Every structure is written in structure tokens, then in C-alpha cells.
Amino acid sequence: MKTMRCLFLSPWPRHMGPDRYLVELLAASRGLDATIWLPESSDAGLQYAKLGCAVDLRPEVRLVHPKLSAATLAGNLGLHTLGLARAIAAMRKVSPEVVITNSEMVFVGMLAARALGIPHFQVFHALTFHHRFQKNPAIFGTYLRFLNAGNRRLLAVSKTLAELLIQDGVPAESVATIPNPIPEPGVAKPLPAWLLDKLRGRPIIV
């Protein structure tokens, strides 16, 4: 069976929800020669190594925080100049056929893949910007157009996220849904009444 060289970028510092999503997908996949880029050593790396993936620590795989401060702006500028140049050089050595970034708030993978002419896919776990900037839709629209232009597909982890992406202007043909896997049936339990009362009227994305 032919294998496909895939590079996955995952910025999470430990084995948590978004990494569990990727681990479950990789465990269910066949025919992948997978390399995982993580920002630092963690228990997540051990999970990927157990699946036979190559793991490389790349500090460029970092979440971009939408904060208007001098320190944040300076960090993001360095990340997307010198950091991007390092990511391009490292990606060229891996020579993947496909690159997938496991976060909607990491852009280095998309930009490096585009520079090298490699198809890139972006996983959306949450629409943080959708609620933070709902009073300024122009900002959110610019963000989505930027990601849509640089990706072969935007991958939503749920039908709800896919519908919100399309609702906010992403063409339906640019969105694919790969559901967040649940390892065993019956894992989900009803929320307690006190929590339902607190959440009533607030947006919930799953």
C-alpha cells in the first residue's frame, strides 16, 4: 500500500482535547508516513511516538494570540519573519505531500506550505474570533478570507463549526467536517442542571 508523507503541526503544550483529536485520527488512519511538529517536549509527543510518528520540536509552532500589546505584536512579527524562514527550511527537509495544522490560530504551517507549493489543511476546533469580534464582523471576515485563501480546505471538528464557517462567509466547498472522535459509545453524559442554568443563553460550540 502506498504511503503518503504528511506533516502535522500541533501547538498544544500537553496531551489535551485538540491533541486527542489528532491522536485518534492518526490511530484510525492507514498508509500515512506522519511527522508531528510540537512546540516543546510533552506527554503529547509520547502519544504520537507510540503511533509510530516522527516527532520534531519546533518553537515556530505557536498559537497566535489576538492581543493588541507591544510584546505580542513584536513576538508575532518575529514568528512570521525569522520563524517562518526556519519553518520553510525545516519543511523542505521533511518534503511532505500534505501539511495539516491542528489549530485555527497557527499560521506558520499554512504560510510555509504555500511558499513551497504544498497543499495545506487547517483544523478548526473553535471559532474564538466569531464571539470575540461579533461586534466587528469586518475583522472576523478578514481572518476567514486569509485562512480560506491559504488552505485547500478548512476542517471543522463538528457540524456546528462547519455551519458557522459557512454562515460567516466561507464557501461551502471550502469546508469539510471530520468529527471529533469519541472512543467509546455512551461516554457523553447529560450536563447537571446547575451547569445548564449557567450556560442558558450563551453560545456553546462542540
Side-chain angles (χ1 to χ4, degrees), residues 62-65 67 69-86 107-108 111:
R62 198 167 72 218
L63 291 167
V64 172
H65 297 286
K67 296 178 182 177
S69 69
T72 300
L73 291 174
N76 287 337
L77 179 62
L79 175 62
H80 294 97
T81 51
L82 295 176
L84 177 59
R86 290 192 297 268
F107 311 131
V108 164
L111 296 172

PDB file of all heavy atoms in Angstrom, residues 62-65 67 69-86 107-108 111:
ATOM      1  N   ARG A  62       3.435  27.879  17.151  1.00  0.00           N
ATOM      2  CA  ARG A  62       2.976  28.625  18.320  1.00  0.00           C
ATOM      3  C   ARG A  62       1.639  29.292  18.024  1.00  0.00           C
ATOM      4  O   ARG A  62       1.422  29.817  16.933  1.00  0.00           O
ATOM      5  CB  ARG A  62       4.029  29.683  18.684  1.00  0.00           C
ATOM      6  CG  ARG A  62       3.904  30.212  20.089  1.00  0.00           C
ATOM      7  CD  ARG A  62       5.150  31.000  20.469  1.00  0.00           C
ATOM      8  NE  ARG A  62       5.225  32.281  19.779  1.00  0.00           N
ATOM      9  CZ  ARG A  62       6.351  32.839  19.313  1.00  0.00           C
ATOM     10  NH1 ARG A  62       7.491  32.200  19.428  1.00  0.00           N
ATOM     11  NH2 ARG A  62       6.336  34.005  18.716  1.00  0.00           N
ATOM     12  N   LEU A  63       0.769  29.261  19.007  1.00  0.00           N
ATOM     13  CA  LEU A  63      -0.526  29.927  18.868  1.00  0.00           C
ATOM     14  C   LEU A  63      -0.338  31.440  18.755  1.00  0.00           C
ATOM     15  O   LEU A  63       0.493  32.027  19.443  1.00  0.00           O
ATOM     16  CB  LEU A  63      -1.407  29.629  20.082  1.00  0.00           C
ATOM     17  CG  LEU A  63      -1.917  28.194  20.225  1.00  0.00           C
ATOM     18  CD1 LEU A  63      -2.502  27.982  21.619  1.00  0.00           C
ATOM     19  CD2 LEU A  63      -2.940  27.856  19.163  1.00  0.00           C
ATOM     20  N   VAL A  64      -1.122  32.044  17.872  1.00  0.00           N
ATOM     21  CA  VAL A  64      -1.129  33.498  17.743  1.00  0.00           C
ATOM     22  C   VAL A  64      -2.265  34.035  18.601  1.00  0.00           C
ATOM     23  O   VAL A  64      -3.434  33.675  18.398  1.00  0.00           O
ATOM     24  CB  VAL A  64      -1.329  33.923  16.276  1.00  0.00           C
ATOM     25  CG1 VAL A  64      -1.527  35.429  16.173  1.00  0.00           C
ATOM     26  CG2 VAL A  64      -0.130  33.486  15.438  1.00  0.00           C
ATOM     27  N   HIS A  65      -1.930  34.859  19.576  1.00  0.00           N
ATOM     28  CA  HIS A  65      -2.952  35.424  20.467  1.00  0.00           C
ATOM     29  C   HIS A  65      -3.356  36.816  19.967  1.00  0.00           C
ATOM     30  O   HIS A  65      -2.494  37.670  19.759  1.00  0.00           O
ATOM     31  CB  HIS A  65      -2.424  35.508  21.894  1.00  0.00           C
ATOM     32  CG  HIS A  65      -2.110  34.171  22.487  1.00  0.00           C
ATOM     33  ND1 HIS A  65      -3.083  33.291  22.898  1.00  0.00           N
ATOM     34  CD2 HIS A  65      -0.922  33.537  22.709  1.00  0.00           C
ATOM     35  CE1 HIS A  65      -2.528  32.184  23.353  1.00  0.00           C
ATOM     36  NE2 HIS A  65      -1.216  32.310  23.243  1.00  0.00           N
ATOM     37  N   LYS A  67      -3.972  39.784  20.818  1.00  0.00           N
ATOM     38  CA  LYS A  67      -3.890  40.831  21.830  1.00  0.00           C
ATOM     39  C   LYS A  67      -3.114  42.011  21.267  1.00  0.00           C
ATOM     40  O   LYS A  67      -2.047  41.842  20.687  1.00  0.00           O
ATOM     41  CB  LYS A  67      -3.182  40.311  23.085  1.00  0.00           C
ATOM     42  CG  LYS A  67      -3.918  39.193  23.803  1.00  0.00           C
ATOM     43  CD  LYS A  67      -3.119  38.713  25.018  1.00  0.00           C
ATOM     44  CE  LYS A  67      -3.821  37.569  25.723  1.00  0.00           C
ATOM     45  NZ  LYS A  67      -3.029  37.053  26.864  1.00  0.00           N
ATOM     46  N   SER A  69      -0.889  44.354  22.112  1.00  0.00           N
ATOM     47  CA  SER A  69       0.148  44.853  23.021  1.00  0.00           C
ATOM     48  C   SER A  69       1.468  44.838  22.268  1.00  0.00           C
ATOM     49  O   SER A  69       1.655  44.079  21.311  1.00  0.00           O
ATOM     50  CB  SER A  69       0.250  43.987  24.274  1.00  0.00           C
ATOM     51  OG  SER A  69       0.775  42.713  23.963  1.00  0.00           O
ATOM     52  N   ALA A  70       2.411  45.672  22.710  1.00  0.00           N
ATOM     53  CA  ALA A  70       3.695  45.777  22.027  1.00  0.00           C
ATOM     54  C   ALA A  70       4.435  44.440  22.041  1.00  0.00           C
ATOM     55  O   ALA A  70       5.020  44.022  21.030  1.00  0.00           O
ATOM     56  CB  ALA A  70       4.545  46.871  22.677  1.00  0.00           C
ATOM     57  N   ALA A  71       4.399  43.756  23.185  1.00  0.00           N
ATOM     58  CA  ALA A  71       5.109  42.482  23.298  1.00  0.00           C
ATOM     59  C   ALA A  71       4.515  41.423  22.365  1.00  0.00           C
ATOM     60  O   ALA A  71       5.245  40.676  21.696  1.00  0.00           O
ATOM     61  CB  ALA A  71       5.059  41.986  24.739  1.00  0.00           C
ATOM     62  N   THR A  72       3.177  41.373  22.301  1.00  0.00           N
ATOM     63  CA  THR A  72       2.523  40.398  21.435  1.00  0.00           C
ATOM     64  C   THR A  72       2.800  40.690  19.967  1.00  0.00           C
ATOM     65  O   THR A  72       3.098  39.778  19.178  1.00  0.00           O
ATOM     66  CB  THR A  72       1.002  40.391  21.677  1.00  0.00           C
ATOM     67  OG1 THR A  72       0.756  40.044  23.043  1.00  0.00           O
ATOM     68  CG2 THR A  72       0.306  39.383  20.787  1.00  0.00           C
ATOM     69  N   LEU A  73       2.725  41.958  19.588  1.00  0.00           N
ATOM     70  CA  LEU A  73       2.983  42.331  18.197  1.00  0.00           C
ATOM     71  C   LEU A  73       4.414  42.023  17.799  1.00  0.00           C
ATOM     72  O   LEU A  73       4.669  41.515  16.703  1.00  0.00           O
ATOM     73  CB  LEU A  73       2.675  43.818  17.996  1.00  0.00           C
ATOM     74  CG  LEU A  73       1.194  44.218  18.090  1.00  0.00           C
ATOM     75  CD1 LEU A  73       1.044  45.732  18.018  1.00  0.00           C
ATOM     76  CD2 LEU A  73       0.387  43.562  16.976  1.00  0.00           C
ATOM     77  N   ALA A  74       5.355  42.297  18.699  1.00  0.00           N
ATOM     78  CA  ALA A  74       6.757  42.009  18.408  1.00  0.00           C
ATOM     79  C   ALA A  74       6.991  40.508  18.273  1.00  0.00           C
ATOM     80  O   ALA A  74       7.711  40.055  17.374  1.00  0.00           O
ATOM     81  CB  ALA A  74       7.649  42.590  19.504  1.00  0.00           C
ATOM     82  N   GLY A  75       6.373  39.724  19.156  1.00  0.00           N
ATOM     83  CA  GLY A  75       6.511  38.277  19.090  1.00  0.00           C
ATOM     84  C   GLY A  75       5.930  37.709  17.805  1.00  0.00           C
ATOM     85  O   GLY A  75       6.534  36.839  17.167  1.00  0.00           O
ATOM     86  N   ASN A  76       4.755  38.210  17.412  1.00  0.00           N
ATOM     87  CA  ASN A  76       4.122  37.727  16.182  1.00  0.00           C
ATOM     88  C   ASN A  76       4.924  38.132  14.948  1.00  0.00           C
ATOM     89  O   ASN A  76       5.003  37.368  13.976  1.00  0.00           O
ATOM     90  CB  ASN A  76       2.698  38.269  16.077  1.00  0.00           C
ATOM     91  CG  ASN A  76       1.752  37.592  17.041  1.00  0.00           C
ATOM     92  OD1 ASN A  76       1.993  36.468  17.484  1.00  0.00           O
ATOM     93  ND2 ASN A  76       0.664  38.265  17.399  1.00  0.00           N
ATOM     94  N   LEU A  77       5.547  39.317  14.989  1.00  0.00           N
ATOM     95  CA  LEU A  77       6.375  39.753  13.865  1.00  0.00           C
ATOM     96  C   LEU A  77       7.587  38.837  13.710  1.00  0.00           C
ATOM     97  O   LEU A  77       7.905  38.391  12.594  1.00  0.00           O
ATOM     98  CB  LEU A  77       6.830  41.201  14.078  1.00  0.00           C
ATOM     99  CG  LEU A  77       7.738  41.783  12.990  1.00  0.00           C
ATOM    100  CD1 LEU A  77       7.014  41.807  11.651  1.00  0.00           C
ATOM    101  CD2 LEU A  77       8.202  43.196  13.382  1.00  0.00           C
ATOM    102  N   GLY A  78       8.245  38.521  14.823  1.00  0.00           N
ATOM    103  CA  GLY A  78       9.392  37.618  14.762  1.00  0.00           C
ATOM    104  C   GLY A  78       9.005  36.226  14.313  1.00  0.00           C
ATOM    105  O   GLY A  78       9.713  35.584  13.529  1.00  0.00           O
ATOM    106  N   LEU A  79       7.846  35.769  14.781  1.00  0.00           N
ATOM    107  CA  LEU A  79       7.367  34.434  14.429  1.00  0.00           C
ATOM    108  C   LEU A  79       7.118  34.306  12.933  1.00  0.00           C
ATOM    109  O   LEU A  79       7.420  33.275  12.328  1.00  0.00           O
ATOM    110  CB  LEU A  79       6.076  34.136  15.206  1.00  0.00           C
ATOM    111  CG  LEU A  79       5.347  32.831  14.883  1.00  0.00           C
ATOM    112  CD1 LEU A  79       6.234  31.636  15.210  1.00  0.00           C
ATOM    113  CD2 LEU A  79       4.038  32.755  15.665  1.00  0.00           C
ATOM    114  N   HIS A  80       6.587  35.366  12.327  1.00  0.00           N
ATOM    115  CA  HIS A  80       6.193  35.281  10.922  1.00  0.00           C
ATOM    116  C   HIS A  80       7.225  35.882   9.975  1.00  0.00           C
ATOM    117  O   HIS A  80       6.916  36.119   8.796  1.00  0.00           O
ATOM    118  CB  HIS A  80       4.823  35.934  10.740  1.00  0.00           C
ATOM    119  CG  HIS A  80       3.739  35.188  11.447  1.00  0.00           C
ATOM    120  ND1 HIS A  80       3.287  35.561  12.697  1.00  0.00           N
ATOM    121  CD2 HIS A  80       3.057  34.057  11.123  1.00  0.00           C
ATOM    122  CE1 HIS A  80       2.358  34.704  13.089  1.00  0.00           C
ATOM    123  NE2 HIS A  80       2.204  33.784  12.160  1.00  0.00           N
ATOM    124  N   THR A  81       8.439  36.127  10.467  1.00  0.00           N
ATOM    125  CA  THR A  81       9.555  36.532   9.608  1.00  0.00           C
ATOM    126  C   THR A  81      10.681  35.509   9.761  1.00  0.00           C
ATOM    127  O   THR A  81      10.777  34.568   8.981  1.00  0.00           O
ATOM    128  CB  THR A  81      10.032  37.954   9.946  1.00  0.00           C
ATOM    129  OG1 THR A  81      10.271  38.056  11.371  1.00  0.00           O
ATOM    130  CG2 THR A  81       8.971  38.983   9.557  1.00  0.00           C
ATOM    131  N   LEU A  82      11.495  35.653  10.802  1.00  0.00           N
ATOM    132  CA  LEU A  82      12.582  34.704  11.035  1.00  0.00           C
ATOM    133  C   LEU A  82      12.037  33.296  11.333  1.00  0.00           C
ATOM    134  O   LEU A  82      12.572  32.299  10.849  1.00  0.00           O
ATOM    135  CB  LEU A  82      13.466  35.183  12.186  1.00  0.00           C
ATOM    136  CG  LEU A  82      14.237  36.489  11.951  1.00  0.00           C
ATOM    137  CD1 LEU A  82      14.999  36.896  13.204  1.00  0.00           C
ATOM    138  CD2 LEU A  82      15.184  36.346  10.774  1.00  0.00           C
ATOM    139  N   GLY A  83      10.979  33.237  12.125  1.00  0.00           N
ATOM    140  CA  GLY A  83      10.379  31.947  12.443  1.00  0.00           C
ATOM    141  C   GLY A  83       9.838  31.255  11.200  1.00  0.00           C
ATOM    142  O   GLY A  83      10.008  30.044  11.020  1.00  0.00           O
ATOM    143  N   LEU A  84       9.204  32.020  10.336  1.00  0.00           N
ATOM    144  CA  LEU A  84       8.660  31.452   9.100  1.00  0.00           C
ATOM    145  C   LEU A  84       9.792  30.936   8.205  1.00  0.00           C
ATOM    146  O   LEU A  84       9.671  29.863   7.595  1.00  0.00           O
ATOM    147  CB  LEU A  84       7.832  32.503   8.367  1.00  0.00           C
ATOM    148  CG  LEU A  84       7.262  32.085   7.009  1.00  0.00           C
ATOM    149  CD1 LEU A  84       6.368  30.860   7.144  1.00  0.00           C
ATOM    150  CD2 LEU A  84       6.494  33.248   6.379  1.00  0.00           C
ATOM    151  N   ALA A  85      10.888  31.682   8.132  1.00  0.00           N
ATOM    152  CA  ALA A  85      12.026  31.238   7.316  1.00  0.00           C
ATOM    153  C   ALA A  85      12.576  29.905   7.832  1.00  0.00           C
ATOM    154  O   ALA A  85      12.906  29.010   7.039  1.00  0.00           O
ATOM    155  CB  ALA A  85      13.117  32.313   7.323  1.00  0.00           C
ATOM    156  N   ARG A  86      12.651  29.754   9.154  1.00  0.00           N
ATOM    157  CA  ARG A  86      13.117  28.484   9.728  1.00  0.00           C
ATOM    158  C   ARG A  86      12.132  27.359   9.423  1.00  0.00           C
ATOM    159  O   ARG A  86      12.529  26.217   9.125  1.00  0.00           O
ATOM    160  CB  ARG A  86      13.318  28.623  11.242  1.00  0.00           C
ATOM    161  CG  ARG A  86      14.499  29.511  11.631  1.00  0.00           C
ATOM    162  CD  ARG A  86      14.824  29.361  13.109  1.00  0.00           C
ATOM    163  NE  ARG A  86      13.722  29.792  13.965  1.00  0.00           N
ATOM    164  CZ  ARG A  86      13.587  31.018  14.451  1.00  0.00           C
ATOM    165  NH1 ARG A  86      14.495  31.957  14.164  1.00  0.00           N
ATOM    166  NH2 ARG A  86      12.571  31.331  15.229  1.00  0.00           N
ATOM    167  N   PHE A 107      -0.478  29.990  12.018  1.00  0.00           N
ATOM    168  CA  PHE A 107      -0.436  30.346  10.605  1.00  0.00           C
ATOM    169  C   PHE A 107       0.877  29.982   9.919  1.00  0.00           C
ATOM    170  O   PHE A 107       0.970  30.039   8.694  1.00  0.00           O
ATOM    171  CB  PHE A 107      -0.702  31.845  10.447  1.00  0.00           C
ATOM    172  CG  PHE A 107      -1.910  32.336  11.194  1.00  0.00           C
ATOM    173  CD1 PHE A 107      -1.845  33.455  12.010  1.00  0.00           C
ATOM    174  CD2 PHE A 107      -3.121  31.658  11.099  1.00  0.00           C
ATOM    175  CE1 PHE A 107      -2.955  33.901  12.709  1.00  0.00           C
ATOM    176  CE2 PHE A 107      -4.239  32.087  11.795  1.00  0.00           C
ATOM    177  CZ  PHE A 107      -4.160  33.220  12.607  1.00  0.00           C
ATOM    178  N   VAL A 108       1.900  29.637  10.685  1.00  0.00           N
ATOM    179  CA  VAL A 108       3.214  29.345  10.110  1.00  0.00           C
ATOM    180  C   VAL A 108       3.152  28.175   9.136  1.00  0.00           C
ATOM    181  O   VAL A 108       3.771  28.198   8.067  1.00  0.00           O
ATOM    182  CB  VAL A 108       4.237  29.078  11.233  1.00  0.00           C
ATOM    183  CG1 VAL A 108       5.484  28.404  10.689  1.00  0.00           C
ATOM    184  CG2 VAL A 108       4.630  30.384  11.912  1.00  0.00           C
ATOM    185  N   LEU A 111       1.546  29.278   5.797  1.00  0.00           N
ATOM    186  CA  LEU A 111       2.397  30.176   5.028  1.00  0.00           C
ATOM    187  C   LEU A 111       3.613  29.443   4.462  1.00  0.00           C
ATOM    188  O   LEU A 111       4.014  29.677   3.315  1.00  0.00           O
ATOM    189  CB  LEU A 111       2.835  31.345   5.910  1.00  0.00           C
ATOM    190  CG  LEU A 111       1.697  32.265   6.390  1.00  0.00           C
ATOM    191  CD1 LEU A 111       2.224  33.275   7.407  1.00  0.00           C
ATOM    192  CD2 LEU A 111       1.047  32.983   5.208  1.00  0.00           C
TER     193      LEU A 111
END
